[in-house]
Amino acid sequence: MTTTGVHPASVIRRARILLALDTSAGAIGSQDVVAARVGVSGETLRLVAKRFAETGGDVHATVSRKKRDLPPVPSPVTGEVEARLIAMACSQPPEGYARWSLRLLEKHVALVEDIPDLDHSTIGRVLKKRNCVLI
């Protein structure tokens, strides 16, 4: 992994750290010596060693990126919300306005009870994704 193929730099760096920490080749020296030899900080060395111990000695799990189980926050925009938002954007603007703006849509979405409050940038992304242009 460190000599052949195309791998991200972080994967190669963690693999080199594991090779430097391998005790089967003999004594490895102190943490500062190993960190200087690999070219990383002592904290990086400690974190890679800790991850190796947590994964039960699995090298591939240690050097590769940690996969998330779930996204951090589920999106508030579902298919129904998106459809209602597009319908609102395609309808006539309120009295006193010539056209819908993203901030005006944001205010009206906040008034509708069964649509979650959305930011104007989120509304813009939804409309852009569906190629709905506010003119």
Side-chain angles (χ1 to χ4, degrees), residues 31-97:
Q31 181 178 351
D32 296 331
V33 172
V34 174
R37 185 175 39 195
V38 180
V40 297
S41 68
E43 181 66 11
T44 302
L45 192 75
R46 185 188 70 77
L47 290 174
V48 171
K50 179 182 171 189
R51 176 118 188 254
F52 183 73
E54 287 173 352
T55 58
D58 186 5
V59 174
H60 291 290
T62 303
V63 297
S64 64
R65 246 185 104 183
K66 186 177 178 183
K67 303 293 183 202
R68 281 192 161 175
D69 295 333
L70 298 172
V73 177
S75 175
V77 181
T78 61
E80 181 183 338
V81 170
E82 189 174 330
R84 304 252 337 253
L85 187 60
I86 291 171
M88 185 182 292
C90 292
S91 68
Q92 288 294 323
E95 190 68 34
Y97 293 93

Side-chain angles (χ1 to χ4, degrees), residues 8-20:
S10 58
V11 170
I12 295 171
R13 183 178 59 245
R14 286 190 288 262
R16 286 187 179 150
I17 291 170
L18 287 180
L19 286 173

